[in-house]
Amino acid sequence: MKKKILGFAATLLLTVGLAACGNGGSSSDSSNASDDTTLKIGASPTPHAEILEHVKPILKDEGIDLEIVKFDDYVLPNQALSEGDIDANYFQHIPYLNKEIEEKGYDFVNAGAVHIEPMGLYSQKIKDISELEDGATIITSNSESDWGRIITILKDAGLVTVKDGVDLETATFDDIDDNPKNLKFNHTIDPALLASTYQNDEGDLVAINANFAYGAGLNPLEDAVLLEKDNSPYVNIIATRKGDEDSDKIKKLIEVLHQEDVRQWIEEQWEGSVKSVDADAK
């Protein structure tokens, strides 16, 4: 497991380096979106791109050449999809996709759910949530679509309550009603930097998306002080431009990702911390 996690970290560092040079994908990804036999898809390095690499030979046998473009942030994959540089992307959960569509007017659709990764809160200072002191600082991402997710974890742990009538999926920190430990919230950090924030021992708890946690050598099931429950609605999906979800190559990709042997491989590869879901999961 340790070698695998270190590999994730190396992949993440390589991708960050590429992005820093002004290229959000690999050096061979300069062409626009693909023809009928090539499927060009943008993905986070882990676990998304690794899952796609696993199914690449299966799709090859089906007559589809899968071209994977790695992105290390949550902005460029949707921009690339909108501009036609890729055919689909695989990095975001449903609430994030919905918010991007609402705010930026993207004509995107959810072509199919694939997996769920548990959001975790990590700490260099405490090992158990009972050790959390009054006035502790919780650092989260600046991605508003994750705020309700984090608030739900805190609510489930008995640390906060929310105002009556608030939809937890869209809740913000202003919707917190009771905060008996007087927790402070810093929600200004880019999601890709949260793992570094944790490694630098900033704050008392740091909420890190699982793909970035893997890249930092963290296993959500083993290392998180708090972990979201299995009934989370934050399912990671394949997103396409509206109308492309009915293309043969997208349908074949969704079908292959849900083959039983692929689902079992995902569960085993990440020791249960990445969970396959049905394609129509909401």
Side-chain angles (χ1 to χ4, degrees), residues 84-268:
D85 295 328
I86 55 178
D87 300 300
N89 63 44
Y90 175 33
F91 77 100
Q92 61 195 322
H93 53 60
I94 295 171
Y96 184 82
L97 172 66
N98 291 340
K99 193 163 189 65
E100 286 278 276
I101 291 171
E102 177 185 352
E103 292 183 350
K104 299 177 182 175
Y106 289 135
D107 196 17
F108 295 166
V109 295
N110 170 6
V114 183
H115 77 268
I116 189 165
E117 307 166 20
M119 167 76 81
L121 276 72
Y122 302 83
S123 178
Q124 299 271 24
K125 296 181 172 67
I126 64 172
K127 297 297 183 184
D128 188 272
I129 197 60
S130 63
E131 302 169 13
L132 191 66
E133 297 182 353
D134 285 358
T137 297
I138 298 178
I139 299 178
T140 80
S141 81
N142 59 10
S143 175
E144 192 172 334
S145 64
D146 277 335
W147 293 354
R149 187 178 194 181
I150 295 159
I151 291 167
T152 299
I153 297 171
L154 297 173
K155 178 178 178 292
D156 289 342
L159 293 171
V160 300
T161 64
V162 298
K163 299 170 184 175
D164 290 342
V166 170
D167 181 352
L168 282 171
E169 194 170 303
T170 57
T172 72
F173 294 101
D174 290 335
D175 294 317
I176 292 176
D177 185 24
D178 190 24
N179 180 7
K181 279 188 173 288
N182 298 306
L183 302 175
K184 299 178 178 65
F185 299 96
N186 176 350
H187 45 77
T188 63
I189 310 297
D190 185 277
L193 300 178
L194 286 167
S196 296
T197 299
Y198 162 80
Q199 291 170 328
N200 291 337
D201 198 13
E202 299 176 42
D204 296 282
L205 285 173
V206 183
I208 309 176
N209 298 82
N211 57 311
F212 293 123
Y214 298 135
L218 296 168
N219 182 320
L221 295 184
E222 297 175 1
D223 300 317
V225 176
L226 289 176
L227 193 67
E228 73 180 324
K229 295 181 177 179
D230 286 344
N231 61 353
S232 166
Y234 295 86
V235 176
N236 283 233
I237 53 97
I238 303 292
T240 66
R241 292 179 293 275
K242 191 173 183 179
D244 290 349
E245 73 274 18
D246 295 323
S247 70
D248 290 340
K249 57 188 180 182
I250 292 294
K251 286 184 174 180
K252 181 59 66 175
L253 172 64
I254 299 297
E255 178 185 324
V256 165
L257 286 168
H258 291 87
Q259 289 180 359
E260 187 56 33
D261 59 336
V262 173
R263 293 171 69 120
Q264 289 180 0
W265 177 85
I266 292 172
E267 297 280 339
E268 292 169 3

Side-chain angles (χ1 to χ4, degrees), residues 64-96:
I64 297 173
D65 291 314
L66 190 63
E67 185 176 348
I68 304 163
V69 184
K70 297 176 185 177
F71 293 91
D72 72 296
D73 74 354
Y74 290 166
V75 176
L76 294 176
N78 279 337
Q79 289 182 358
L81 181 59
S82 178
E83 293 167 4
D85 295 328
I86 55 178
D87 300 300
N89 63 44
Y90 175 33
F91 77 100
Q92 61 195 322
H93 53 60
I94 295 171
Y96 184 82

